[in-house]
PDB file of all heavy atoms in Angstrom:
ATOM      1  N   ARG A   1      79.067  81.659 118.855  1.00  0.00           N
ATOM      2  CA  ARG A   1      80.448  82.065 118.601  1.00  0.00           C
ATOM      3  C   ARG A   1      80.896  81.477 117.253  1.00  0.00           C
ATOM      4  O   ARG A   1      81.599  82.188 116.470  1.00  0.00           O
ATOM      5  CB  ARG A   1      81.357  81.643 119.726  1.00  0.00           C
ATOM      6  CG  ARG A   1      81.166  82.347 121.039  1.00  0.00           C
ATOM      7  CD  ARG A   1      82.167  81.881 122.116  1.00  0.00           C
ATOM      8  NE  ARG A   1      83.531  82.105 121.687  1.00  0.00           N
ATOM      9  CZ  ARG A   1      84.153  83.266 121.887  1.00  0.00           C
ATOM     10  NH1 ARG A   1      83.576  84.265 122.511  1.00  0.00           N
ATOM     11  NH2 ARG A   1      85.434  83.377 121.511  1.00  0.00           N
ATOM     12  N   LEU A   2      80.579  80.235 117.014  1.00  0.00           N
ATOM     13  CA  LEU A   2      81.015  79.584 115.757  1.00  0.00           C
ATOM     14  C   LEU A   2      80.468  80.326 114.553  1.00  0.00           C
ATOM     15  O   LEU A   2      81.224  80.613 113.607  1.00  0.00           O
ATOM     16  CB  LEU A   2      80.514  78.171 115.785  1.00  0.00           C
ATOM     17  CG  LEU A   2      81.114  77.185 114.754  1.00  0.00           C
ATOM     18  CD1 LEU A   2      82.601  76.995 115.042  1.00  0.00           C
ATOM     19  CD2 LEU A   2      80.404  75.858 114.794  1.00  0.00           C
ATOM     20  N   ARG A   3      79.190  80.673 114.587  1.00  0.00           N
ATOM     21  CA  ARG A   3      78.616  81.392 113.457  1.00  0.00           C
ATOM     22  C   ARG A   3      79.201  82.780 113.327  1.00  0.00           C
ATOM     23  O   ARG A   3      79.475  83.283 112.224  1.00  0.00           O
ATOM     24  CB  ARG A   3      77.067  81.485 113.610  1.00  0.00           C
ATOM     25  CG  ARG A   3      76.326  80.168 113.459  1.00  0.00           C
ATOM     26  CD  ARG A   3      74.823  80.441 113.380  1.00  0.00           C
ATOM     27  NE  ARG A   3      74.467  81.128 112.166  1.00  0.00           N
ATOM     28  CZ  ARG A   3      74.017  80.501 111.072  1.00  0.00           C
ATOM     29  NH1 ARG A   3      73.880  79.167 111.094  1.00  0.00           N
ATOM     30  NH2 ARG A   3      73.731  81.219 109.974  1.00  0.00           N
ATOM     31  N   ALA A   4      79.430  83.436 114.470  1.00  0.00           N
ATOM     32  CA  ALA A   4      79.980  84.790 114.424  1.00  0.00           C
ATOM     33  C   ALA A   4      81.363  84.802 113.859  1.00  0.00           C
ATOM     34  O   ALA A   4      81.769  85.638 113.076  1.00  0.00           O
ATOM     35  CB  ALA A   4      79.949  85.403 115.831  1.00  0.00           C
ATOM     36  N   LEU A   5      82.162  83.838 114.296  1.00  0.00           N
ATOM     37  CA  LEU A   5      83.587  83.739 113.757  1.00  0.00           C
ATOM     38  C   LEU A   5      83.578  83.517 112.271  1.00  0.00           C
ATOM     39  O   LEU A   5      84.346  84.107 111.535  1.00  0.00           O
ATOM     40  CB  LEU A   5      84.303  82.628 114.509  1.00  0.00           C
ATOM     41  CG  LEU A   5      84.602  82.839 115.970  1.00  0.00           C
ATOM     42  CD1 LEU A   5      85.215  81.593 116.633  1.00  0.00           C
ATOM     43  CD2 LEU A   5      85.469  84.063 116.178  1.00  0.00           C
ATOM     44  N   GLY A   6      82.731  82.635 111.818  1.00  0.00           N
ATOM     45  CA  GLY A   6      82.626  82.340 110.364  1.00  0.00           C
ATOM     46  C   GLY A   6      82.129  83.575 109.600  1.00  0.00           C
ATOM     47  O   GLY A   6      82.653  83.911 108.521  1.00  0.00           O
ATOM     48  N   THR A   7      81.150  84.270 110.177  1.00  0.00           N
ATOM     49  CA  THR A   7      80.684  85.484 109.543  1.00  0.00           C
ATOM     50  C   THR A   7      81.761  86.508 109.478  1.00  0.00           C
ATOM     51  O   THR A   7      81.939  87.185 108.397  1.00  0.00           O
ATOM     52  CB  THR A   7      79.466  86.049 110.302  1.00  0.00           C
ATOM     53  OG1 THR A   7      78.405  85.068 110.343  1.00  0.00           O
ATOM     54  CG2 THR A   7      78.955  87.292 109.682  1.00  0.00           C
ATOM     55  N   GLY A   8      82.485  86.739 110.554  1.00  0.00           N
ATOM     56  CA  GLY A   8      83.578  87.702 110.545  1.00  0.00           C
ATOM     57  C   GLY A   8      84.657  87.379 109.529  1.00  0.00           C
ATOM     58  O   GLY A   8      85.199  88.320 108.869  1.00  0.00           O
ATOM     59  N   TYR A   9      84.948  86.140 109.355  1.00  0.00           N
ATOM     60  CA  TYR A   9      85.949  85.652 108.414  1.00  0.00           C
ATOM     61  C   TYR A   9      85.540  86.030 106.994  1.00  0.00           C
ATOM     62  O   TYR A   9      86.302  86.619 106.236  1.00  0.00           O
ATOM     63  CB  TYR A   9      86.105  84.162 108.592  1.00  0.00           C
ATOM     64  CG  TYR A   9      87.257  83.532 107.902  1.00  0.00           C
ATOM     65  CD1 TYR A   9      88.386  83.165 108.591  1.00  0.00           C
ATOM     66  CD2 TYR A   9      87.225  83.209 106.502  1.00  0.00           C
ATOM     67  CE1 TYR A   9      89.499  82.535 107.977  1.00  0.00           C
ATOM     68  CE2 TYR A   9      88.300  82.659 105.881  1.00  0.00           C
ATOM     69  CZ  TYR A   9      89.434  82.274 106.586  1.00  0.00           C
ATOM     70  OH  TYR A   9      90.484  81.680 105.961  1.00  0.00           O
ATOM     71  N   ILE A  10      84.312  85.702 106.674  1.00  0.00           N
ATOM     72  CA  ILE A  10      83.833  85.985 105.307  1.00  0.00           C
ATOM     73  C   ILE A  10      83.650  87.476 105.064  1.00  0.00           C
ATOM     74  O   ILE A  10      84.043  87.987 103.988  1.00  0.00           O
ATOM     75  CB  ILE A  10      82.506  85.239 105.039  1.00  0.00           C
ATOM     76  CG1 ILE A  10      82.722  83.713 105.059  1.00  0.00           C
ATOM     77  CG2 ILE A  10      81.921  85.657 103.677  1.00  0.00           C
ATOM     78  CD1 ILE A  10      81.475  82.909 104.959  1.00  0.00           C
ATOM     79  N   ARG A  11      83.160  88.187 106.068  1.00  0.00           N
ATOM     80  CA  ARG A  11      82.986  89.631 105.920  1.00  0.00           C
ATOM     81  C   ARG A  11      84.371  90.327 105.691  1.00  0.00           C
ATOM     82  O   ARG A  11      84.473  91.278 104.930  1.00  0.00           O
ATOM     83  CB  ARG A  11      82.307  90.216 107.168  1.00  0.00           C
ATOM     84  CG  ARG A  11      80.919  89.694 107.369  1.00  0.00           C
ATOM     85  CD  ARG A  11      79.909  90.295 106.432  1.00  0.00           C
ATOM     86  NE  ARG A  11      78.527  89.851 106.735  1.00  0.00           N
ATOM     87  CZ  ARG A  11      77.823  89.089 105.928  1.00  0.00           C
ATOM     88  NH1 ARG A  11      78.262  88.715 104.762  1.00  0.00           N
ATOM     89  NH2 ARG A  11      76.624  88.719 106.280  1.00  0.00           N
ATOM     90  N   PHE A  12      85.389  89.850 106.394  1.00  0.00           N
ATOM     91  CA  PHE A  12      86.694  90.422 106.178  1.00  0.00           C
ATOM     92  C   PHE A  12      87.150  90.179 104.761  1.00  0.00           C
ATOM     93  O   PHE A  12      87.702  91.083 104.078  1.00  0.00           O
ATOM     94  CB  PHE A  12      87.704  89.773 107.129  1.00  0.00           C
ATOM     95  CG  PHE A  12      89.129  90.253 106.947  1.00  0.00           C
ATOM     96  CD1 PHE A  12      89.601  91.418 107.437  1.00  0.00           C
ATOM     97  CD2 PHE A  12      90.011  89.473 106.204  1.00  0.00           C
ATOM     98  CE1 PHE A  12      90.910  91.891 107.237  1.00  0.00           C
ATOM     99  CE2 PHE A  12      91.329  89.886 105.972  1.00  0.00           C
ATOM    100  CZ  PHE A  12      91.802  91.079 106.544  1.00  0.00           C
ATOM    101  N   ALA A  13      86.972  89.005 104.234  1.00  0.00           N
ATOM    102  CA  ALA A  13      87.388  88.690 102.881  1.00  0.00           C
ATOM    103  C   ALA A  13      86.711  89.627 101.864  1.00  0.00           C
ATOM    104  O   ALA A  13      87.315  90.102 100.931  1.00  0.00           O
ATOM    105  CB  ALA A  13      87.039  87.246 102.513  1.00  0.00           C
ATOM    106  N   LEU A  14      85.406  89.910 102.077  1.00  0.00           N
ATOM    107  CA  LEU A  14      84.650  90.741 101.146  1.00  0.00           C
ATOM    108  C   LEU A  14      85.007  92.225 101.315  1.00  0.00           C
ATOM    109  O   LEU A  14      85.006  92.985 100.327  1.00  0.00           O
ATOM    110  CB  LEU A  14      83.170  90.529 101.343  1.00  0.00           C
ATOM    111  CG  LEU A  14      82.641  89.128 101.085  1.00  0.00           C
ATOM    112  CD1 LEU A  14      81.122  89.035 101.362  1.00  0.00           C
ATOM    113  CD2 LEU A  14      82.920  88.706  99.621  1.00  0.00           C
ATOM    114  N   ALA A  15      85.287  92.612 102.527  1.00  0.00           N
ATOM    115  CA  ALA A  15      85.664  94.052 102.787  1.00  0.00           C
ATOM    116  C   ALA A  15      87.065  94.381 102.436  1.00  0.00           C
ATOM    117  O   ALA A  15      87.412  95.479 102.066  1.00  0.00           O
ATOM    118  CB  ALA A  15      85.352  94.389 104.232  1.00  0.00           C
ATOM    119  N   GLU A  16      87.978  93.385 102.620  1.00  0.00           N
ATOM    120  CA  GLU A  16      89.399  93.586 102.384  1.00  0.00           C
ATOM    121  C   GLU A  16      89.960  92.504 101.453  1.00  0.00           C
ATOM    122  O   GLU A  16      90.824  91.734 101.803  1.00  0.00           O
ATOM    123  CB  GLU A  16      90.144  93.549 103.698  1.00  0.00           C
ATOM    124  CG  GLU A  16      89.788  94.657 104.701  1.00  0.00           C
ATOM    125  CD  GLU A  16      90.335  96.038 104.295  1.00  0.00           C
ATOM    126  OE1 GLU A  16      91.016  96.081 103.246  1.00  0.00           O
ATOM    127  OE2 GLU A  16      90.149  96.993 105.013  1.00  0.00           O
ATOM    128  N   PRO A  17      89.496  92.480 100.196  1.00  0.00           N
ATOM    129  CA  PRO A  17      89.922  91.399  99.299  1.00  0.00           C
ATOM    130  C   PRO A  17      91.465  91.368  99.065  1.00  0.00           C
ATOM    131  O   PRO A  17      92.061  90.344  98.955  1.00  0.00           O
ATOM    132  CB  PRO A  17      89.183  91.686  98.041  1.00  0.00           C
ATOM    133  CG  PRO A  17      88.787  93.131  98.047  1.00  0.00           C
ATOM    134  CD  PRO A  17      88.567  93.404  99.540  1.00  0.00           C
ATOM    135  N   GLY A  18      92.069  92.548  99.017  1.00  0.00           N
ATOM    136  CA  GLY A  18      93.512  92.619  98.785  1.00  0.00           C
ATOM    137  C   GLY A  18      94.264  92.002  99.958  1.00  0.00           C
ATOM    138  O   GLY A  18      95.233  91.224  99.718  1.00  0.00           O
ATOM    139  N   LEU A  19      93.854  92.312 101.182  1.00  0.00           N
ATOM    140  CA  LEU A  19      94.555  91.735 102.345  1.00  0.00           C
ATOM    141  C   LEU A  19      94.261  90.280 102.454  1.00  0.00           C
ATOM    142  O   LEU A  19      95.152  89.475 102.812  1.00  0.00           O
ATOM    143  CB  LEU A  19      94.082  92.444 103.619  1.00  0.00           C
ATOM    144  CG  LEU A  19      94.630  93.868 103.820  1.00  0.00           C
ATOM    145  CD1 LEU A  19      94.242  94.387 105.207  1.00  0.00           C
ATOM    146  CD2 LEU A  19      96.111  93.937 103.625  1.00  0.00           C
ATOM    147  N   PHE A  20      93.000  89.832 102.167  1.00  0.00           N
ATOM    148  CA  PHE A  20      92.646  88.473 102.248  1.00  0.00           C
ATOM    149  C   PHE A  20      93.442  87.620 101.246  1.00  0.00           C
ATOM    150  O   PHE A  20      94.022  86.554 101.617  1.00  0.00           O
ATOM    151  CB  PHE A  20      91.151  88.269 102.068  1.00  0.00           C
ATOM    152  CG  PHE A  20      90.677  86.895 102.308  1.00  0.00           C
ATOM    153  CD1 PHE A  20      90.377  86.460 103.564  1.00  0.00           C
ATOM    154  CD2 PHE A  20      90.470  86.015 101.215  1.00  0.00           C
ATOM    155  CE1 PHE A  20      89.904  85.151 103.816  1.00  0.00           C
ATOM    156  CE2 PHE A  20      89.990  84.691 101.441  1.00  0.00           C
ATOM    157  CZ  PHE A  20      89.739  84.303 102.742  1.00  0.00           C
ATOM    158  N   ARG A  21      93.537  88.108 100.047  1.00  0.00           N
ATOM    159  CA  ARG A  21      94.326  87.333  99.036  1.00  0.00           C
ATOM    160  C   ARG A  21      95.800  87.321  99.428  1.00  0.00           C
ATOM    161  O   ARG A  21      96.437  86.278  99.202  1.00  0.00           O
ATOM    162  CB  ARG A  21      94.151  88.027  97.690  1.00  0.00           C
ATOM    163  CG  ARG A  21      92.730  87.891  97.090  1.00  0.00           C
ATOM    164  CD  ARG A  21      92.716  88.432  95.669  1.00  0.00           C
ATOM    165  NE  ARG A  21      91.369  88.354  95.049  1.00  0.00           N
ATOM    166  CZ  ARG A  21      90.566  89.378  94.885  1.00  0.00           C
ATOM    167  NH1 ARG A  21      90.924  90.588  95.249  1.00  0.00           N
ATOM    168  NH2 ARG A  21      89.383  89.225  94.340  1.00  0.00           N
ATOM    169  N   THR A  22      96.295  88.375  99.973  1.00  0.00           N
ATOM    170  CA  THR A  22      97.708  88.363 100.385  1.00  0.00           C
ATOM    171  C   THR A  22      97.926  87.463 101.583  1.00  0.00           C
ATOM    172  O   THR A  22      98.932  86.715 101.569  1.00  0.00           O
ATOM    173  CB  THR A  22      98.122  89.803 100.778  1.00  0.00           C
ATOM    174  OG1 THR A  22      97.883  90.674  99.652  1.00  0.00           O
ATOM    175  CG2 THR A  22      99.619  89.835 101.113  1.00  0.00           C
ATOM    176  N   ALA A  23      97.038  87.432 102.521  1.00  0.00           N
ATOM    177  CA  ALA A  23      97.211  86.546 103.689  1.00  0.00           C
ATOM    178  C   ALA A  23      97.293  85.114 103.272  1.00  0.00           C
ATOM    179  O   ALA A  23      98.050  84.368 103.936  1.00  0.00           O
ATOM    180  CB  ALA A  23      96.039  86.764 104.615  1.00  0.00           C
ATOM    181  N   PHE A  24      96.647  84.732 102.175  1.00  0.00           N
ATOM    182  CA  PHE A  24      96.626  83.328 101.853  1.00  0.00           C
ATOM    183  C   PHE A  24      97.281  83.026 100.475  1.00  0.00           C
ATOM    184  O   PHE A  24      97.056  81.991  99.865  1.00  0.00           O
ATOM    185  CB  PHE A  24      95.190  82.808 101.829  1.00  0.00           C
ATOM    186  CG  PHE A  24      94.558  82.824 103.174  1.00  0.00           C
ATOM    187  CD1 PHE A  24      93.647  83.853 103.509  1.00  0.00           C
ATOM    188  CD2 PHE A  24      94.859  81.873 104.130  1.00  0.00           C
ATOM    189  CE1 PHE A  24      93.076  83.879 104.775  1.00  0.00           C
ATOM    190  CE2 PHE A  24      94.292  81.902 105.373  1.00  0.00           C
ATOM    191  CZ  PHE A  24      93.407  82.914 105.725  1.00  0.00           C
ATOM    192  N   CYS A  25      98.077  83.984  99.986  1.00  0.00           N
ATOM    193  CA  CYS A  25      98.770  83.735  98.707  1.00  0.00           C
ATOM    194  C   CYS A  25      99.813  82.682  98.892  1.00  0.00           C
ATOM    195  O   CYS A  25     100.400  82.480  99.993  1.00  0.00           O
ATOM    196  CB  CYS A  25      99.387  85.049  98.183  1.00  0.00           C
ATOM    197  SG  CYS A  25     100.809  85.691  99.090  1.00  0.00           S
ATOM    198  N   ARG A  26     100.096  81.944  97.859  1.00  0.00           N
ATOM    199  CA  ARG A  26     101.072  80.858  97.942  1.00  0.00           C
ATOM    200  C   ARG A  26     102.438  81.349  98.201  1.00  0.00           C
ATOM    201  O   ARG A  26     102.900  82.313  97.613  1.00  0.00           O
ATOM    202  CB  ARG A  26     101.014  80.015  96.676  1.00  0.00           C
ATOM    203  CG  ARG A  26      99.739  79.189  96.499  1.00  0.00           C
ATOM    204  CD  ARG A  26      99.830  78.298  95.309  1.00  0.00           C
ATOM    205  NE  ARG A  26     101.032  77.438  95.290  1.00  0.00           N
ATOM    206  CZ  ARG A  26     101.212  76.471  94.388  1.00  0.00           C
ATOM    207  NH1 ARG A  26     100.342  76.211  93.459  1.00  0.00           N
ATOM    208  NH2 ARG A  26     102.312  75.731  94.477  1.00  0.00           N
ATOM    209  N   ALA A  27     103.153  80.701  99.115  1.00  0.00           N
ATOM    210  CA  ALA A  27     104.455  81.117  99.517  1.00  0.00           C
ATOM    211  C   ALA A  27     105.501  80.736  98.467  1.00  0.00           C
ATOM    212  O   ALA A  27     106.629  81.283  98.473  1.00  0.00           O
ATOM    213  CB  ALA A  27     104.879  80.453 100.829  1.00  0.00           C
ATOM    214  N   ASP A  28     105.132  79.896  97.478  1.00  0.00           N
ATOM    215  CA  ASP A  28     106.104  79.459  96.465  1.00  0.00           C
ATOM    216  C   ASP A  28     105.843  80.128  95.140  1.00  0.00           C
ATOM    217  O   ASP A  28     106.389  79.733  94.114  1.00  0.00           O
ATOM    218  CB  ASP A  28     106.152  78.002  96.337  1.00  0.00           C
ATOM    219  CG  ASP A  28     104.775  77.412  95.910  1.00  0.00           C
ATOM    220  OD1 ASP A  28     103.799  78.160  95.902  1.00  0.00           O
ATOM    221  OD2 ASP A  28     104.726  76.193  95.605  1.00  0.00           O
ATOM    222  N   THR A  29     104.995  81.164  95.128  1.00  0.00           N
ATOM    223  CA  THR A  29     104.731  81.875  93.822  1.00  0.00           C
ATOM    224  C   THR A  29     106.034  82.580  93.374  1.00  0.00           C
ATOM    225  O   THR A  29     106.664  83.233  94.157  1.00  0.00           O
ATOM    226  CB  THR A  29     103.650  82.944  94.018  1.00  0.00           C
ATOM    227  OG1 THR A  29     102.459  82.280  94.477  1.00  0.00           O
ATOM    228  CG2 THR A  29     103.352  83.664  92.775  1.00  0.00           C
ATOM    229  N   PRO A  30     106.389  82.411  92.101  1.00  0.00           N
ATOM    230  CA  PRO A  30     107.616  83.037  91.607  1.00  0.00           C
ATOM    231  C   PRO A  30     107.656  84.534  91.884  1.00  0.00           C
ATOM    232  O   PRO A  30     106.693  85.256  91.603  1.00  0.00           O
ATOM    233  CB  PRO A  30     107.602  82.780  90.093  1.00  0.00           C
ATOM    234  CG  PRO A  30     106.822  81.484  89.988  1.00  0.00           C
ATOM    235  CD  PRO A  30     105.788  81.581  91.043  1.00  0.00           C
ATOM    236  N   GLY A  31     108.734  84.994  92.480  1.00  0.00           N
ATOM    237  CA  GLY A  31     108.884  86.394  92.834  1.00  0.00           C
ATOM    238  C   GLY A  31     108.331  86.741  94.203  1.00  0.00           C
ATOM    239  O   GLY A  31     108.576  87.849  94.682  1.00  0.00           O
ATOM    240  N   MET A  32     107.572  85.859  94.812  1.00  0.00           N
ATOM    241  CA  MET A  32     106.946  86.094  96.098  1.00  0.00           C
ATOM    242  C   MET A  32     107.275  84.998  97.097  1.00  0.00           C
ATOM    243  O   MET A  32     106.551  84.770  98.043  1.00  0.00           O
ATOM    244  CB  MET A  32     105.446  86.300  95.977  1.00  0.00           C
ATOM    245  CG  MET A  32     105.031  87.575  95.185  1.00  0.00           C
ATOM    246  SD  MET A  32     103.281  87.848  95.214  1.00  0.00           S
ATOM    247  CE  MET A  32     102.618  86.537  94.139  1.00  0.00           C
ATOM    248  N   GLU A  33     108.362  84.228  96.849  1.00  0.00           N
ATOM    249  CA  GLU A  33     108.704  83.108  97.685  1.00  0.00           C
ATOM    250  C   GLU A  33     108.899  83.596  99.131  1.00  0.00           C
ATOM    251  O   GLU A  33     109.607  84.599  99.395  1.00  0.00           O
ATOM    252  CB  GLU A  33     109.980  82.412  97.195  1.00  0.00           C
ATOM    253  CG  GLU A  33     109.843  81.745  95.851  1.00  0.00           C
ATOM    254  CD  GLU A  33     110.143  82.712  94.669  1.00  0.00           C
ATOM    255  OE1 GLU A  33     110.220  83.924  94.956  1.00  0.00           O
ATOM    256  OE2 GLU A  33     110.240  82.218  93.546  1.00  0.00           O
ATOM    257  N   SER A  34     108.234  82.912 100.062  1.00  0.00           N
ATOM    258  CA  SER A  34     108.349  83.350 101.477  1.00  0.00           C
ATOM    259  C   SER A  34     108.127  82.130 102.369  1.00  0.00           C
ATOM    260  O   SER A  34     107.624  81.104 101.944  1.00  0.00           O
ATOM    261  CB  SER A  34     107.320  84.430 101.791  1.00  0.00           C
ATOM    262  OG  SER A  34     105.984  83.911 101.624  1.00  0.00           O
ATOM    263  N   GLU A  35     108.488  82.330 103.641  1.00  0.00           N
ATOM    264  CA  GLU A  35     108.220  81.254 104.584  1.00  0.00           C
ATOM    265  C   GLU A  35     106.710  81.202 104.815  1.00  0.00           C
ATOM    266  O   GLU A  35     106.010  82.187 104.979  1.00  0.00           O
ATOM    267  CB  GLU A  35     108.904  81.576 105.949  1.00  0.00           C
ATOM    268  CG  GLU A  35     110.422  81.471 105.891  1.00  0.00           C
ATOM    269  CD  GLU A  35     110.814  79.983 105.705  1.00  0.00           C
ATOM    270  OE1 GLU A  35     110.171  79.084 106.262  1.00  0.00           O
ATOM    271  OE2 GLU A  35     111.824  79.794 104.984  1.00  0.00           O
ATOM    272  N   PRO A  36     106.127  79.980 104.810  1.00  0.00           N
ATOM    273  CA  PRO A  36     104.684  79.894 105.039  1.00  0.00           C
ATOM    274  C   PRO A  36     104.322  80.346 106.450  1.00  0.00           C
ATOM    275  O   PRO A  36     105.065  80.133 107.387  1.00  0.00           O
ATOM    276  CB  PRO A  36     104.379  78.390 104.835  1.00  0.00           C
ATOM    277  CG  PRO A  36     105.712  77.702 105.080  1.00  0.00           C
ATOM    278  CD  PRO A  36     106.768  78.666 104.643  1.00  0.00           C
TER     279      PRO A  36
END
């Protein structure tokens, strides 16, 4: 399970780079301030 979860995490990042970057973008970026 541990390996599968890690694999799924990385595969998501590679398949959906836009969503992955958005999911972890900084909450204090100017113009994009949000609750963490």
Side-chain angles (χ1 to χ4, degrees):
R1 290 180 61 86
L2 193 66
R3 290 189 70 97
L5 293 174
T7 299
Y9 191 101
I10 295 172
R11 297 284 184 246
F12 176 81
L14 297 179
E16 297 285 2
L19 288 187
F20 187 82
R21 292 187 180 106
T22 303
F24 295 101
C25 69
R26 289 185 53 172
D28 60 351
T29 301
M32 294 188 286
E33 296 87 348
S34 63
E35 288 294 322

